[in-house]
Amino acid sequence: MPVEITWWGHATCTVEDSGVRLLTDPLFARRLAHLRRRRGAVPPPEAARADVVLVSHLHADHLHLPSLALLAPGTRLLVPRGARRAVPGLARTAGAAGLAVTEVAPGEEVPVGSGVRVRVVSALHDGRRLPFGPQRAPALGYVVEGAARTYFAGDTGLFATMAEEVGPVDVALLPVGGWGPYLGPGHLDAGRAAAALAELAPAAAVPVHYGTYWPIGMDAVRPHEFHAPGEEFAFRAARLAPKVTVRVPAHGERVRLP
């Protein structure tokens, strides 16, 4: 049975595999601090329905407490080890919403349903709770292993052991941009994501983490960095990893892979 992916925008995806519904880095806000949602409607209530939520790191656009508060009681939440100590509001939000929080680190495996497990892998990214948080929790990626093997990279740069640590996968959800006109270290742009894809060699890939949020008042500053990364990734992937099927869904679109 193929895996089904719904991209809700930014790094938020629903992964459906073997009857288990997993949600990545839920962000359901119209506005977050100086960012506003410029493309795609705010996800509908059904987007918050999940058996398991995977949080890649502590940045507010990935660990977004108001979005976590929308989850149903009993939802299982996997977060980087040290997250509750670094973000005190997480324990309060999880307690009020009735969420089951498990802290994880690279190398660990967590069974999440009949025949489905989540394997935790490294990411090359500053995982602190910005702007002032200490480095108390690592940034993570996750591999969902069920009928298919789906790699959610979170937010990461390309690192030497990525393909080795991630292992064979069928689907890769790779970040290809950001929420501003410039990407700092620890990120993938379309070109670097295509290079990572060539090393990972999955059957299929979906670009994420682009084309959703942008700083208020900066619509005219390097707009191609907002609009272009998804299609640019597909173009570059066709050259560097021609055997990989790349799907570029619209916001809220559901695709079946591989």
Side-chain angles (χ1 to χ4, degrees):
M1 182 177 75
V3 66
E4 295 185 336
I5 307 292
T6 304
W7 182 52
W8 301 109
H10 203 53
T12 307
C13 299
T14 294
V15 179
E16 297 174 82
D17 189 322
S18 304
V20 178
R21 187 176 172 100
L22 304 100
L23 179 65
T24 67
D25 288 352
L27 181 57
F28 303 139
R30 188 175 305 279
R31 178 173 173 176
L32 174 62
H34 64 297
L35 306 177
R36 67 179 174 91
R37 193 176 182 107
R38 285 191 55 207
R39 182 185 286 177
V42 174
E46 69 181 69
R49 183 171 60 86
D51 302 298
V52 183
V53 172
L54 310 177
V55 173
S56 64
H57 62 289
L58 306 188
H59 292 179
D61 57 325
H62 294 259
L63 176 62
H64 186 245
L65 299 180
S67 293
L68 296 182
L70 299 176
L71 302 171
T75 302
R76 190 169 187 183
L77 185 62
L78 303 188
V79 300
R81 180 154 296 150
R84 281 178 288 201
R85 185 163 62 101
V87 186
L90 173 58
R92 293 193 296 269
T93 299
L99 309 179
V101 180
T102 301
E103 295 191 351
V104 294
E108 297 183 352
E109 297 183 0
V110 182
V112 297
S114 180
V116 180
R117 63 178 183 171
V118 173
R119 184 162 50 85
V120 187
V121 299
S122 301
L124 178 63
H125 191 67
D126 183 347
R128 294 177 298 166
R129 186 68 164 185
L130 298 176
F132 306 116
Q135 187 69 53
R136 289 180 173 172
L140 304 175
Y142 296 94
V143 180
V144 178
E145 299 185 345
R149 293 163 297 188
T150 302
Y151 172 43
F152 169 60
D155 211 353
T156 186
L158 179 59
F159 55 97
T161 61
M162 177 185 280
E164 178 183 355
E165 187 171 346
V166 170
V169 290
D170 302 297
V171 179
L173 309 178
L174 294 178
V176 300
W179 50 253
Y182 301 99
L183 287 174
H187 293 87
L188 296 176
D189 60 10
R192 291 191 292 271
L197 190 68
E199 295 186 13
L200 293 164
V206 174
V208 301
H209 202 270
Y210 78 100
T212 309
Y213 293 91
W214 204 248
I216 294 169
M218 296 187 69
D219 291 9
V221 179
R222 296 175 62 85
H224 61 284
E225 298 291 353
F226 178 84
H227 293 283
E231 294 297 341
E232 183 181 351
F233 169 72
F235 174 77
R236 291 177 178 267
R239 298 176 61 186
L240 295 179
K243 294 183 179 180
V244 180
T245 298
V246 175
R247 300 288 296 273
V248 185
H251 289 80
E253 183 180 355
R254 185 179 184 181
V255 295
R256 303 186 76 191
L257 300 166

